C-alpha cells in the first residue's frame, strides 16, 4: 500500500514494513498491522504508519533495524512526511508530520518521538496530503479528504494555521516547487484535477485535467520543472508546469496551463 525510495534503500509494504537494500538484502520487517504510509529521515531512519494508528521508526544503522514507537492517532496513519534537512537547522532538528483517518494532524520533533509537539484538529476528514516547503523552515501544507476539501498552511513552530483554502475537491497529494513559491495539489472527487497555486496568496494559477479517477500521488523531477502524477485510473502523467520549465525560451503560457507533456499507462 506504500512505496518510498531512499538513495540507499527501498521500502515496500503489504501487511508489514520491509526495508530492503537495492541489492536485495532484507534489513528489517516489523509491523503488526497494514502499513499505509512511509517516510525517510536523513537516509538512516524509515518511519512507517500503520492501520492501528502506530508509527514505527526503523533505524537502518542499528542491528536488526531497531525500532521506536509513536502513538497519537486513533485510526490509520495515511500520511507521513519528514521535513528536509535543507529546510531544518541543526539547532531545531527535523520534524515529522503525520496525518490520520481520525482527521488529526500531528507534528513530531525528532528529539522526542514519544509525544507530538502539536496535535492539530482543524481538518474534518482524513489527512493524507502533506508537504514541507523546501525553502522555508516550519512551513507545512496539509490537505483534507472529501468531507473537508481544505488545504491548510501551518507554522509548525507555533502550531498556528495561517491560511486555509477550500479546493472543492478531495485533496490527495501536495508538492512544493523547488524554484518558486508555488504549490501543486492533486485531487479526487469530484474533478480529479491538479491545481497550481501561488504562495502566499494561494491564488489559483492553473487547473489541469486529464485523469479520470483520483490523483493519488505526486512527484517532482530532479530539475524541478516537471510534476509526475499517478492516478487510480492506472496512468502516469507528466506535467511541465513549474517555474523552471515556464522560464525557458519558447515556453508559452497556453502550454503549461492546459497541456500534459506525456501520459503512460501503468498496466
Amino acid at each position: 500500500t506504500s512505496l518510498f525510495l531512499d538513495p540507499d534503500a527501498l521500502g515496500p509494504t503489504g501487511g508489514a514494513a520491509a526495508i530492503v537494500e537495492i541489492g536485495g538484502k532484507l534489513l528489517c520487517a516489523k509491523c503488526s498491522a497494514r502499513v499505509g504510509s512511509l517516510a525517510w529521515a536523513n537516509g538512516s531512519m524509515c518511519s512507517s504508519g500503520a492501520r492501528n494508528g502506530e508509527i514505527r521508526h526503523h533505524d537502518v544503522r542499528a542491528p536488526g533495524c531497531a525500532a521506536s514507537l509513536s502513538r497519537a492517532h486513533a485510526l490509520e496513519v495515511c500520511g507521513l512526511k519528514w521535513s528536509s534537512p535543507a529546510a531544518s537547522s541543526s539547532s531545531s532538528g527535523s520534524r515529522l508530520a503525520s496525518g490520520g483517518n481520525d482527521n488529526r494532524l500531528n507534528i513530531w520533533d525528532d528529539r522526542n518521538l514519544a509525544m507530538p509537539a502539536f496535535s492539530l484538529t482543524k481538518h474534518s476528514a482524513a489527512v493524507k496530503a502533506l508537504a514541507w516547503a523546501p525553502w522555508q523552515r516550519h512551513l507545512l501544507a496539509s490537505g483534507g479528504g472529501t468531507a473537508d476539501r481544505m488545504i491548510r498552511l501551518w507554522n509548525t513552530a507555533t502550531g498556528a494555521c495561517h491560511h486555509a483554502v477550500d479546493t472543492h475537491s478531495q485533496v490527495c497529494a501536495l508538492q512544493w516547487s523547488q524554484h518558486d513559491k508555488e504549490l501543486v495539489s492533486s485531487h479526487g472527487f469530484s474533478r480529479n484535477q491538479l491545481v497550481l497555486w501561488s504562495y502566499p496568496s494561494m491564488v489559483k494559477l492553473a487547473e489541469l485535467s486529464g485523469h479520470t479517477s483520483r490523483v493519488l500521488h505526486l512527484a517532482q523531477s530532479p530539475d524541478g520543472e516537471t510534476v509526475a502524477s499517478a492516478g487510480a485510473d492506472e496512468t502516469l502523467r507528466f506535467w511541465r508546469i513549474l517555474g523552471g520549465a515556464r522560464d525557458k525560451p519558447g515556453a508559452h503560457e497556453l502550454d503549461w496551463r492546459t497541456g500534459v507533456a506525456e501520459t503512460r499507462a501503468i498496466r
Side-chain angles (χ1 to χ4, degrees):
T1 56
S2 186
L3 182 70
F4 198 95
L5 183 65
D6 177 80
D8 302 309
L10 186 67
T13 70
I19 301 176
V20 184
E21 288 182 336
I22 292 299
K25 179 183 177 182
L26 180 67
L27 297 181
C28 65
K30 299 177 181 178
C31 206
S32 58
R34 184 183 73 183
V35 174
S37 52
L38 292 172
W40 281 93
N42 301 323
S44 60
M45 183 167 66
C46 178
S47 298
S48 59
R51 187 175 189 175
N52 60 7
E54 293 181 350
I55 303 171
R56 289 184 179 267
H57 311 283
H58 311 269
D59 188 344
V60 300
R61 300 165 299 181
C65 201
S68 58
L69 187 64
S70 299
R71 291 189 179 98
H73 288 281
L75 297 173
E76 182 169 10
V77 180
C78 54
L80 278 178
K81 189 75 68 172
W82 279 99
S83 61
S84 66
S88 303
S89 68
S90 58
S91 61
S92 65
S94 296
R95 290 204 155 187
L96 173 67
S98 65
N101 285 352
D102 55 2
N103 310 341
R104 187 176 297 271
L105 170 62
N106 289 323
I107 309 298
W108 310 79
D109 192 299
D110 66 355
R111 296 165 296 185
N112 180 14
L113 293 171
M115 179 180 299
F118 298 101
S119 192
L120 309 169
T121 58
K122 287 187 177 291
H123 283 290
S124 57
V127 184
K128 177 181 179 291
L130 299 167
W132 293 93
W135 30 259
Q136 184 171 327
R137 187 160 52 95
H138 301 310
L139 175 57
L140 173 72
S142 64
T146 305
D148 181 73
R149 308 173 303 181
M150 303 292 291
I151 293 175
R152 294 186 177 274
L153 303 179
W154 305 88
N155 179 345
T156 61
T158 64
C161 177
H162 59 81
H163 211 124
V165 178
D166 188 348
T167 68
H168 305 289
S169 295
Q170 174 190 26
V171 185
C172 298
L174 294 165
Q175 182 80 46
W176 288 100
S177 169
Q178 297 176 24
H179 296 293
D180 299 290
K181 291 186 176 182
E182 296 173 348
L183 177 68
V184 181
S185 60
S186 71
H187 300 269
F189 182 81
S190 60
R191 299 192 61 188
N192 309 315
Q193 82 276 34
L194 277 72
V195 179
L196 180 65
W197 308 86
S198 175
Y199 176 83
S201 66
M202 293 304 287
V203 170
K204 188 184 295 186
L205 298 177
E207 186 165 329
L208 304 160
S209 59
H211 283 285
T212 58
S213 190
R214 290 181 300 158
V215 188
L216 298 170
H217 302 285
L218 293 174
Q220 190 170 174
S221 61
D223 63 10
E225 297 182 359
T226 302
V227 170
S229 59
D233 57 3
E234 300 184 352
T235 65
L236 293 173
R237 294 173 185 264
F238 300 86
W239 313 82
R240 293 178 60 83
I241 58 173
L242 296 179
R246 299 203 306 269
D247 295 339
K248 285 187 173 180
H252 300 292
E253 184 178 31
L254 181 63
D255 295 333
W256 69 266
R257 281 184 181 271
T258 62
V260 58
E262 188 177 353
T263 303
R264 296 182 183 179
I266 297 175
R267 291 188 182 182

